[in-house]
Structures are given as C-alpha cells and as structure tokens.
Amino acid sequence: GEVLSYACYSNPGLRTDPTHAYSPANWRRDIERFVNSGYRFFSISPNYTVDGEWGKTRFWLGPDDYPEPDPETKEFCFELQMQILLELCPRAKVFVRLGDRIPEAWADAYPEETLAAYPDGSFDPLRPEQGRSTFKKPSLASAIGLRDLCRFFKHTTSYLRQQPWADRIVGYALYPAGEGMTVLAPNGLLFDHSPVMHRVFRQFLQNKYASDSVLREAWGRQDISLETALYPTDGEWKMWLVDCHH
C-alpha cells in the first residue's frame, strides 16, 4: 500500500539553510522533493507573526478579541501553504500544528497570569534584561490562560473546517513553545514564578498540610507558613542538587 510519511511543512526534515527555510520558494523546492520521494502527509501551521509581533495570529489579537479572518495570501498563512502543497501534491493530507503563544495585548492585560521565568517577574529566559519578551505564554496554573487558549484553538479550527480543502485535514496537534516542554526547560530553567503559580502552589500546600505546624514539621523548617511558603528559585534548586550529589 501507499506509505504515508510525516514532514514538517516550514522546514520539512531536510538540511536546508535556516536563513532561507521560511519562504514560499523553499516550500516549493522542499515539498517537491518529498512528493517525489512518495510523501503524502504534511503539517501546516498558522502565521504567528502579525503586525511585527511574534506570537500574535489573525485569529487571536488580544483579550476577548477573536476576529473573523479574511482569506490571506501572505507568507506563512494557511491559504498559501495549502495552495502550494496541493499544486505539488494533489493527494496530500495534513495535520494542523497549533501552539500556545499569546498576543502581547493578552500578557499586558493579564500580567499575573503570564509565565515568569524569574522571581522579579521578567519572562524571557534568553534576554531577561529586556523585561519584556517577544515570546510569552500563559502560566500552566492560569485558568484564564487555558480558557483563552481553548477559545483560540476552537476559533482557528472552526475557520479551517470551512475551507475548501478541509477534507485534507486529518487532525490537530498542540506543540507548546519549548517543543513539547515549557519554554523554560530548553533554557535550563524549571520554575514559573508568576503570581498565579504561587497562588496555586500555596493552595496545594493548604490542601496537603492544612496547618502551619504540619507544614513546618514536614519541611523541617520553622520560618515558613502556608501563606508565605515558596518553591525554590532555579539557583536555589541547583545548589540543593549540588549538595545532594556530594
């Protein structure tokens, strides 16, 4: 029978020059090579750069702002990806790759719900000195973030199901920033220091220990309480690991 294989659309598993990987010209070149090798299964993803802002799509512009998008023909849009793909591979099937990036306006509206890489509230693990990031995401503890991400996914998939090539879609996949991990992990960090994460953590302690005395006995510390207990910073955690290893 026919072999169905996976290829990532924007740079489909080939050794290409990364400075040229994201262009329709290279889509055509790379997809044609896959088609000639018998590939029929590809992925597509939304354009995550709108108005020069990385993380914003035309499907989600900010809090409660999920506009009905007009068809596009710009680079990286769904329509152009499918146009090129079906020209080169009329029998192609695709899955849609969605992510958890958020528009800057959402992070501005919900700063306490946005993941923070450092205790001072800064986010970007690669450029903490900037204070603001081009790559924000909701805290995993944020019910508001989960709600609005689900709205984005539902709004996007509803649009896709109305397209003339909707029957080519075989499924949807969520790829969180960090390639399946949090955006902190690939940069050697573990802990989200957002206010919402601290609140959820303290609620967990309240449910587990119920009283300050039980918490202090369990942790072996007399200087903490259910209202003040914190999980460690990454620096403290690494120092603890060093002591454990020795």
Side-chain angles (χ1 to χ4, degrees), residues 46-100:
N47 175 10
Y48 274 103
T49 304
V50 173
D51 300 328
E53 179 186 320
W54 191 27
K56 182 167 70 173
T57 76
R58 59 190 171 119
F59 300 95
W60 185 17
L61 302 181
D64 299 315
D65 190 0
Y66 303 88
E68 291 297 328
D70 294 323
E72 276 193 344
T73 57
K74 298 179 181 178
E75 291 186 12
F76 314 120
C77 70
F78 284 127
E79 291 85 353
L80 185 57
Q81 291 176 67
M82 287 304 299
Q83 175 188 327
I84 294 174
L85 180 56
L86 292 177
E87 286 177 4
L88 297 174
C89 185
R91 298 166 58 198
K93 298 289 186 178
V94 300
F95 75 85
V96 180
R97 173 174 175 162
L98 299 172
D100 59 352

Side-chain angles (χ1 to χ4, degrees), residues 118-231:
Y118 300 96
D120 65 1
S122 58
F123 172 81
D124 197 328
L126 298 180
R127 296 180 294 277
E129 72 282 355
Q130 292 184 359
R132 292 171 64 86
S133 170
T134 57
F135 198 50
K136 290 189 175 181
K137 61 181 295 182
S139 169
L140 291 176
S142 173
I144 297 174
L146 177 61
R147 177 200 68 190
D148 289 355
L149 278 171
C150 288
R151 288 177 177 175
F152 162 59
F153 299 148
K154 183 177 180 179
H155 184 54
T156 305
T157 56
S158 176
Y159 174 82
L160 293 175
R161 286 195 294 269
Q162 300 174 43
Q163 303 311 305
W165 33 262
D167 61 336
R168 305 308 183 95
I169 299 173
V170 298
Y172 301 87
L174 173 60
Y175 281 67
E179 301 299 334
M181 302 177 286
T182 71
V183 73
L184 303 176
N187 297 286
L189 301 172
L190 290 175
F191 300 104
D192 170 11
H193 293 280
S194 63
V196 67
M197 182 62 79
H198 283 302
R199 289 197 301 270
V200 170
F201 177 67
R202 286 172 179 153
Q203 184 60 56
F204 163 79
L205 296 181
Q206 179 68 50
N207 295 340
K208 182 177 179 66
Y209 298 110
S211 69
D212 291 341
S213 61
V214 176
L215 171 66
R216 288 165 182 163
E217 181 178 358
W219 283 28
R221 292 176 54 182
Q222 298 301 310
D223 60 338
I224 57 172
S225 70
L226 292 171
E227 294 185 355
T228 62
L230 297 172
Y231 43 81

Side-chain angles (χ1 to χ4, degrees), residues 108-124:
D108 289 341
Y110 298 110
E112 294 192 351
E113 306 287 329
T114 303
L115 185 148
Y118 300 96
D120 65 1
S122 58
F123 172 81
D124 197 328

